[in-house]
Amino acid sequence: MPNSSSGRRRVTWSSKADVDDLLRERWRSTDCRTDWAHCGQRWDAVAVELQRGLDALDALGLGLRQGYPVLADYLSNRLYVMVDPGTGHVCRDVPGVRVLSAGSQVLIPVAGAGTIAAHWVSPPRAGRLVDSGKLATALLRLVDVGAVAS
């Protein structure tokens, strides 16, 4: 949707579902590294199918550039949405969701653009995490909409 004051388009989460040539080039040309990060300390990670997770974030109206830590694994078509530590369990009963909390690890970029298996769709900023209750509600609504459409 155009922004009337600047003429620029609003970038949506859903627009990040596909890997473009520019991103592929960034992965090839920079010192891209990943490492394992423990869940349950700084965050829990909610893993969901990539497009569904992006659609849920769009439904929540969260700004893509606001620093909510969200990872894409384009190889496995998964999105990892970081929520407050100890709150991921709120999403456990949502169909198609896996929660990574204490005792689990997630692969994160530590240098450059990351990799095709761990790329920050939205790089983290201190204190910015997605609300797990709101995420669960948005994901459940998408399941309900899909059931009605079938």
Side-chain angles (χ1 to χ4, degrees):
M1 142 185 336
N3 179 333
S4 58
S5 64
S6 67
R8 291 183 298 193
R9 291 186 166 261
R10 178 178 170 257
V11 179
T12 64
W13 290 94
S14 296
S15 70
K16 300 300 182 179
D18 297 316
V19 176
D20 60 21
D21 290 337
L22 180 62
L23 186 53
R24 280 189 184 91
E25 186 57 35
R26 285 180 59 207
W27 289 333
R28 277 192 294 267
S29 67
T30 62
D31 177 29
C32 298
R33 291 184 302 114
T34 57
D35 201 357
W36 294 101
H38 292 276
C39 298
Q41 296 171 359
R42 293 187 347 214
W43 57 55
D44 286 355
V46 176
V48 63
E49 183 268 328
L50 183 71
Q51 187 64 59
R52 184 171 161 220
L54 293 169
D55 289 345
L57 294 171
D58 277 335
L60 290 174
L62 301 177
L64 179 64
R65 296 185 175 125
Q66 298 303 309
Y68 293 98
V70 176
L71 278 169
D73 177 346
Y74 292 105
L75 284 179
S76 66
N77 196 39
R78 305 298 296 165
L79 191 73
Y80 295 88
V81 180
M82 306 327 191
V83 300
D84 285 315
T87 68
H89 69 278
V90 172
C91 298
R92 246 182 250 270
D93 293 330
V94 176
V97 167
R98 180 174 173 226
V99 177
L100 303 171
S101 56
S104 300
Q105 295 182 44
V106 65
L107 191 64
I108 65 167
V110 293
T115 66
I116 195 168
H119 174 75
W120 287 119
V121 174
S122 174
R125 287 192 191 152
R128 284 269 163 146
L129 294 169
V130 175
D131 181 283
S132 58
K134 291 178 181 179
L135 178 62
T137 299
L139 290 167
L140 284 169
R141 283 189 181 139
L142 289 171
V143 170
D144 291 342
V145 168
V148 170
S150 297

